[in-house]
Amino acid sequence: MLGKLIKYDFKALNRYLIAIHAMLLVTAAIGRFLFIKRMMQNPGGLSDVGLIIMSIGIMIYVILFMTALFGTLMMIAIHFYKNIYSDEGYLTHTLPVTKGQLLISKTITGSVWMFADIVLITLSILILVLYQPVIQEFMLYKDDMLAAMGFPSSFGYGKIFLAVIWLLVVSAVSNVVMLYVSIAVGQLFSNHRVLGAIVAYFSINMIVSIITGVIGAATGFSIFVGAADETFLYQFYVKTYLVSMATTLITAVGFYAVAYLLMKKKLNLS
């Protein structure tokens, strides 16, 4: 049954999010080959009409960029609210599934789309800016760039890439369950539940940001005080990464547990 729930949730989210991100990538590709590539090869070669068209294209790309960024978050939140707490929730809660299965399904599908959103937005930017001269310059100075960032030459970009991917995956899960717990908290209000959920989301986000900021600052200060050699930057990156990963994991687990308890004990349909 869990598989059917996941399939249903993906179908509900895919309906809009695939179209939004596809338009973003297509717009980036069109902009690359019609304008950006031409400007790179011949700066100042565009006519006045071409510049106007390019400006309109940039505006369209920015709009789609922002729509993909915030629209994904909104679609995940709306689907969770409608499926669990609105009139549709009466039907949802008659299904032969547990509250845990419902939450797991929506956490999996929401997290996958949150991660995909970051990947596809990044891909759209790379489509626009990643040209052969840029790649050649990067390959020429990649070792110097690594050294300038404080990483040992043996570390390599592959490890950095994998570390970033893991952090993005955990952050995607944490952001999704933060949305869910905010919506669940909002349902505790007798009136203005949507507003309550919005206030809860920004309040929780602010509290988490303050706590992680304090922890991060304390970590950075401890590294600075104990720094004794040229490996200072490397130590800073590694310890900051580990702290970020740990705090994100802890918050993700905490948000998930609270959301589950509220769904199970304080379910309040509108």
Side-chain angles (χ1 to χ4, degrees):
M1 193 64 187
L2 179 60
K4 292 182 179 179
L5 286 174
I6 293 173
K7 183 178 179 181
Y8 168 79
D9 288 331
F10 267 127
K11 185 177 179 180
L13 293 174
N14 292 351
R15 189 182 311 164
Y16 303 101
L17 295 181
I18 287 179
I20 292 171
H21 289 85
M23 287 190 291
L24 177 67
L25 294 176
V26 169
T27 303
I30 292 173
R32 174 191 177 104
F33 290 107
L34 290 185
F35 303 110
I36 306 299
K37 184 177 181 180
R38 190 175 300 177
M39 287 186 64
M40 292 285 290
Q41 294 174 345
N42 183 22
L46 286 178
S47 65
D48 292 339
V49 175
L51 288 172
I52 293 173
I53 296 174
M54 186 181 71
S55 299
I56 294 173
I58 292 173
M59 289 177 60
I60 294 172
Y61 174 79
V62 171
I63 291 171
L64 288 171
F65 183 98
M66 300 303 291
T67 301
L69 185 64
F70 294 106
T72 300
L73 198 69
M74 290 296 298
M75 288 303 306
I76 292 170
I78 290 170
H79 174 64
F80 180 79
Y81 173 79
K82 287 179 62 178
N83 195 239
I84 300 296
Y85 291 106
S86 70
D87 292 341
E88 185 181 324
Y90 288 99
L91 176 60
T92 300
H93 295 294
T94 62
L95 297 174
V97 294
T98 64
K99 299 296 187 294
Q101 288 176 315
L102 288 171
L103 186 56
I104 289 173
S105 173
K106 283 164 177 55
T107 300
I108 290 173
T109 53
S111 300
V112 168
W113 258 116
M114 190 72 75
F115 177 75
D117 176 58
I118 299 170
V119 172
L120 293 173
I121 285 176
T122 303
L123 179 59
S124 74
I125 296 172
L126 293 179
I127 288 173
L128 281 174
V129 303
L130 204 58
Y131 284 89
Q132 191 64 30
V134 177
I135 297 174
Q136 289 174 349
E137 287 294 315
F138 171 76
M139 295 303 294
L140 185 63
Y141 295 104
K142 64 176 184 177
D143 292 335
D144 294 333
M145 290 172 61
L146 203 64
M149 291 187 292
F151 289 99
S153 57
S154 59
F155 196 83
Y157 285 95
K159 292 180 181 178
I160 296 175
F161 177 77
L162 289 176
V164 171
I165 291 296
W166 276 114
L167 184 58
L168 289 178
V169 169
V170 176
S171 297
V173 177
S174 181
N175 288 333
V176 166
V177 290
M178 184 191 296
L179 271 178
Y180 295 165
V181 77
S182 300
I183 294 170
V185 169
Q187 305 318 298
L188 300 178
F189 294 89
S190 56
N191 296 305
H192 307 295
R193 294 174 183 174
V194 174
L195 178 61
I198 294 172
V199 171
Y201 176 77
F202 283 105
S203 299
I204 293 171
N205 207 350
M206 182 177 65
I207 293 170
V208 171
S209 297
I210 292 172
I211 293 173
T212 54
V214 170
I215 294 174
T219 303
F221 180 75
S222 65
I223 297 170
F224 177 78
V225 171
D229 52 33
E230 66 278 0
T231 64
F232 163 71
L233 279 177
Y234 176 68
Q235 294 176 32
F236 176 78
Y237 292 140
V238 171
K239 290 187 178 180
T240 301
Y241 175 83
L242 292 175
V243 169
S244 298
M245 180 66 81
T247 53
T248 306
L249 276 171
I250 291 170
T251 53
V253 172
F255 290 149
Y256 185 91
V258 173
Y260 173 74
L261 289 173
L262 290 176
M263 283 177 61
K264 189 173 181 180
K265 304 293 186 181
K266 299 290 184 178
L267 188 64
N268 188 12
L269 303 184
S270 59

